[in-house]
Each structure stands twice: as structure tokens, then as C-alpha cells.
Amino acid sequence: MLIHLGHSPDADDAFMFWALAENRVDTRGFEFEHVLRDIQTLNEWALAGRLEVTAISLHAYPFVQKHYALLPHGASMGAGYGPVVVSREPMSKEKLREVEIAVPGKMTTAFLVLRMVIGDFSYRVVPFDEILEVVKTGDADAGLIIHEGQLTYEAEGLQKVVDLGEWWLLETGLPLPLGANVARRDLGAERLHDLPAVLSDSIAAGLANRAEAMRYALQFGRGLDTELGDRFVGMYVNELTLDYGEEGREAVRELLRRGEAIGAFESPVQVDFVS
């Protein structure tokens, strides 16, 4: 069966799926077509059930839960680090409520958590890889940075206002779950049983063959050198990526519970992992 596999064109996702892309794992009869798009696009496509398997922001899950179930692997979680709000000059969290913030998408988890931190705020959606530039040029007062910009903003002359992963850890004692892999429910029970093993094997193979997987991943690093690329991948591809475990599942439940509490979702959330 052909599976359209959606993921971001980023070093961490490329690392996860290196072994699959390079035919280094048993695909158990599945054929995979990799579909690379930014996470906001993948979130929007998930609303329409466009891909059989896709990465999404956890913020998007409540909006697609009727059609997709969470896979037990592929989580992007940061323990004490995460998306960062940056500005040109020093700025307090209170000041953020008064300025326009460039954000990578309204359905990103970073957007949801920033709402938890400062409440409602003025924002403008900007492609994630252009946010550093619009802040540097003064076209935006502040920017919400995801992906590798979390490691490079200081080199661009920008300053941290708040690290959402730091804030979340202090609030909850848990890692911040940002992204997830989901599979369409209409694949059926048998395929939903076999599919996670293939994707989990790909992640495990990357971790077991780090140097080789990193060489592949750096093609998607947007200028990251080997050291920064390895650091970025290590931040978001780890043991929690192989399996959420109880701590990871609790982090997901807590994130979505808090999202419900601020009215972020249209209906109650049922956290449902493929077993």
C-alpha cells in the first residue's frame, strides 16, 4: 500500500526518516512517498485528511482527531527548551502584549503556548524561515522562532524575550510536546498495527547510525554547520521520539488540557494513541 508521509523539510524530521528514505528498514509491504511541507501547511492539510500519515503540531490534533490517531513515536519534545520569542532590543513578557509578533502559524503548538504565557496578542503570520529577517529589519517588533532559528537567533543580533520550553518546564515539570506523527483512522486496524513499527524502526536506525543519518539530515539544515545541526537534532530526536512513555503522554494530556482551559479548541479533546 502506498503511504503518503508528510513531514517538514528540517534536519530533525530528515534524521528521523533517513533510514526509510534510504531503504534501510523493512517496510512490511508499505511503499512510502515523502511529502515535504512546512508544519503549518501540514496542519492545514490534516484538516482535510489529505495524507495517510503526517507530522502535525499538537495544537492541531484536537481539530483533526476524528480522522487521525496519534502514533506512539515521532514526538518532538524539549525538556526545558523550545520555541523562542525574540526581539531586537530587550523586551519584557508584559511588553509582548502591546506589540505585533510575527508567528509561523496559528495552528502551531508554539502559538498555543505563547497564548498560555501572555494571553491574547497581536500577531502576523509569516513563513517560519523568514521570521528572523522581519524582526532584524524592524518589519515586526518580535518573532516566534521555531526550528533551527532557536540556535541561531543570537548570531543574528537578536535577543531572547521568553523560551516557551523553559516556561513550560517551570509551570508543569514536564517536557514541552510540540509535534506529533498521526495516522488516518480509515487505514484500518491491521495497517494501524503494522505501520508504527516501520516508522519507529526508522527513528531507531537513525539513532543507532547517527553519523550517517546526520550527513543526510544536514542537507535540510538551512545553513547549520555540523555541530549546530547535531545539537538541533539531539534536541528533538531522542528517547521520547522513539516512544512517548508515560511522561511524554502526560505532557501531551497536560498541554491539551491547558489548551481546552483557554478555549483554544472547538470540541473536547480525546487523546488517542495507536497501540
Side-chain angles (χ1 to χ4, degrees):
M1 178 182 181
L2 177 62
I3 299 291
H4 295 90
L5 173 63
H7 58 86
S8 299
D10 303 305
D12 55 335
D13 279 10
F15 183 95
M16 277 194 272
F17 296 124
W18 156 75
L20 196 60
E22 297 294 311
N23 299 311
R24 299 287 291 270
V25 293
D26 178 6
T27 62
R28 293 167 172 80
F30 293 104
E31 180 184 353
F32 291 89
E33 180 179 324
H34 295 251
V35 181
L36 276 60
R37 296 292 188 278
D38 68 278
I39 195 63
Q40 181 62 18
T41 297
L42 294 176
N43 289 337
E44 292 168 359
W45 283 7
L47 292 172
R50 186 164 173 174
L51 304 175
E52 291 86 4
V53 177
T54 185
I56 62 169
S57 301
L58 273 163
H59 183 189
Y61 175 70
F63 299 96
V64 304
Q65 61 184 337
K66 288 185 179 179
H67 303 296
Y68 286 96
L70 289 163
L71 292 172
H73 59 77
S76 296
M77 291 198 196
Y81 53 84
V84 180
V85 181
V86 300
S87 60
R88 292 182 308 284
E89 304 295 336
M91 185 181 296
S92 66
K93 286 191 291 187
E94 291 70 28
K95 181 67 174 177
L96 284 176
R97 301 187 183 98
E98 304 172 11
V99 303
E100 182 183 67
I101 304 173
V103 303
K106 294 192 297 181
M107 294 183 72
T108 60
T109 307
F111 183 86
L112 174 64
V113 178
L114 185 55
R115 283 187 62 194
M116 296 178 189
V117 176
I118 65 173
D120 292 333
F121 58 92
S122 177
Y123 64 88
R124 172 162 46 101
V125 175
V126 174
F128 76 93
D129 54 353
E130 297 177 15
I131 291 178
L132 286 176
E133 186 63 25
V134 299
V135 177
K136 281 173 58 180
T137 61
D139 192 34
D141 300 300
L144 178 55
I145 303 300
I146 60 175
H147 299 309
E148 70 279 351
Q150 297 167 49
L151 298 181
T152 62
Y153 69 87
E154 289 181 304
E156 300 288 343
L158 300 177
Q159 303 193 33
K160 179 176 72 176
V161 181
V162 58
D163 183 315
L164 301 183
E166 290 179 356
W167 176 87
W168 177 261
L169 182 64
L170 290 171
E171 281 282 307
T172 68
L174 294 166
L176 175 59
L178 298 165
N181 286 341
V182 295
R184 227 168 47 203
R185 297 180 188 275
D186 64 4
L187 290 173
E190 183 177 349
R191 290 182 180 126
L192 285 174
H193 178 269
D194 294 339
L195 191 57
V198 180
L199 303 180
S200 178
D201 284 352
S202 181
I203 297 166
L207 291 170
N209 300 275
R210 189 176 188 87
E212 193 172 354
M214 276 303 308
R215 284 194 294 272
Y216 174 81
L218 284 172
Q219 300 174 72
F220 303 88
R222 284 183 291 271
L224 289 179
D225 60 27
T226 301
E227 181 180 353
L228 280 180
D230 190 72
R231 181 179 166 196
F232 179 68
V233 166
M235 289 166 66
Y236 293 114
V237 187
N238 47 47
E239 292 303 313
L240 288 172
T241 312
L242 268 178
D243 187 281
Y244 284 78
E246 185 48 44
E247 181 184 43
R249 292 174 188 239
E250 178 58 28
V252 170
R253 289 190 289 265
E254 182 64 13
L255 176 78
L256 297 178
R257 184 192 68 77
R258 290 183 179 229
E260 281 189 297
I262 64 171
F265 312 132
E266 299 169 345
S267 55
V269 183
Q270 297 295 323
V271 179
D272 181 19
F273 288 90
V274 174
S275 60

